[in-house]
Amino acid sequence: MSSVPDGKKLVRSPSGLRMIPENGAFSSPFSLDEPQWVPDKECPRCMQCDTKFDFLTRKHHCRRCGKCFCDKCCSKKVLLPRMCFVDPVRQCAECSLVSQKEMEFYDKQIKVLMNGANFTVTLGTSEKSESMVCRLSNNHRYLFLDGDSHLEIELSRVSSFQILTEGFTPGEKDIHTYTSLLESQYITEGGNSRASGMLLQYKAVGSQDLQQLKLNAREDNKTASAWLAAMHKVFNFINSLN
């Protein structure tokens, strides 16, 4: 059994209903705090088109940035999973575009990672390896590895990661795109190769010593390759937040 709590509670904020972790310490590393709304008295005009607010032209606050807009400039209602809203919420045009792009991240990459994939796992420099299912925890904070043993790795404690591809050794040509990692497993001159594994360095909870973990996908395992490509995108996303 996992030691990571997944309990959630429904709360009502000025922006809408949110489903948040019961313990705030276990919130997703991708989460955003609700912004402070610009006070009504400080925004007599739309902060986008400069339309003056009056009895007919009402003001609305973007749930993502907290700025004040007229209905025309803040009419879109878009899902905002990074703030744990249950329903789509009102956002300005600029924020809604960002949120829509993030929805693809949640709908595709996060779902792939939570479904998990099978790998051969090697710890440190050990010559022994174990077949394990690796998946992202429900709160997105941990990698769970389950086989004969169980291992939990907190994403925030991963100090480095490297996607391994067929035909390349670690450290060689390790700059990949999400798309290239899903290409054919057959390597051609000037072409791309399928993701075949991942090398992680991390610090276990309560320790400052670096530990190493290597995941190897089984031959021609498309599910594992898709999982690795999604993890590549997740780590890039986390790095962009730092």
Side-chain angles (χ1 to χ4, degrees):
M1 294 293 291
S2 167
S3 60
V4 181
D6 283 325
K8 294 184 178 181
K9 59 182 179 180
L10 188 65
V11 299
R12 181 178 293 278
S13 74
S15 300
L17 288 174
R18 301 173 68 210
M19 185 67 75
I20 63 173
E22 290 183 344
N23 186 335
F26 292 97
S27 60
S28 165
F30 315 124
S31 64
L32 283 174
D33 293 331
E34 284 190 85
Q36 290 286 334
W37 284 10
V38 175
D40 287 349
K41 62 182 180 180
E42 295 181 11
C43 53
R45 296 177 177 273
C46 174
M47 301 179 76
Q48 177 64 41
C49 69
D50 204 37
T51 296
K52 185 177 181 180
F53 295 123
D54 54 29
F55 182 75
L56 296 177
T57 306
R58 297 180 57 194
K59 59 185 65 175
H60 302 277
H61 286 85
C62 172
R63 271 51 174 173
R64 186 181 181 109
C65 68
K67 295 180 180 178
C68 198
F69 304 91
C70 66
D71 182 70
K72 182 179 179 181
C73 294
C74 195
S75 62
K76 295 183 180 295
K77 289 192 175 182
V78 182
L79 287 170
L80 186 47
R82 291 187 63 192
M83 288 186 191
C84 303
F85 285 112
V86 174
D87 301 308
V89 291
R90 188 183 292 272
Q91 297 177 55
C92 66
E94 182 178 351
C95 286
S96 67
L97 289 176
V98 175
S99 296
Q100 286 169 353
K101 289 181 180 179
E102 289 175 351
M103 277 306 303
E104 180 181 352
F105 174 76
Y106 275 82
D107 284 342
K108 294 182 179 180
Q109 281 70 54
I110 293 296
K111 285 185 178 179
V112 167
L113 293 176
M114 291 178 67
N115 287 337
N118 292 297
F119 294 95
T120 300
V121 180
T122 305
L123 293 174
T125 58
S126 173
E127 296 182 357
K128 295 182 179 180
S129 59
E130 181 180 345
S131 179
M132 306 182 83
V133 175
C134 189
R135 68 177 180 86
L136 186 67
S137 65
N138 291 340
N139 60 20
H140 310 156
R141 288 183 60 89
Y142 294 82
L143 289 180
F144 289 164
L145 294 93
D146 288 293
D148 292 336
S149 57
H150 175 77
L151 180 65
E152 298 176 4
I153 299 175
E154 190 170 3
L155 291 184
S156 63
R157 296 181 67 84
V158 174
S159 58
S160 68
F161 81 99
Q162 183 180 71
I163 296 295
L164 308 179
T165 55
E166 293 172 351
F168 300 134
T169 56
E172 181 185 3
K173 296 185 179 180
D174 58 354
I175 299 176
H176 306 287
T177 64
Y178 171 70
T179 303
S180 73
L181 296 173
L182 294 172
E183 294 295 333
S184 169
Q185 65 175 352
Y186 299 107
I187 300 171
T188 58
E189 186 175 353
N192 296 309
S193 60
R194 186 186 293 276
S196 62
M198 180 168 64
L199 197 64
L200 289 179
Q201 287 191 322
Y202 67 98
K203 295 178 182 178
V205 176
S207 172
Q208 293 302 312
D209 296 330
L210 279 178
Q211 300 187 43
Q212 181 172 292
L213 178 79
K214 185 177 182 181
L215 306 178
N216 282 320
R218 297 174 183 175
E219 186 176 353
D220 195 22
N221 190 328
K222 293 182 180 180
T223 300
S225 293
W227 193 93
L228 290 167
M231 183 55 69
H232 175 265
K233 198 159 189 176
V234 162
F235 277 122
N236 285 341
F237 189 85
I238 290 175
N239 289 337
S240 72
L241 302 177
N242 296 330

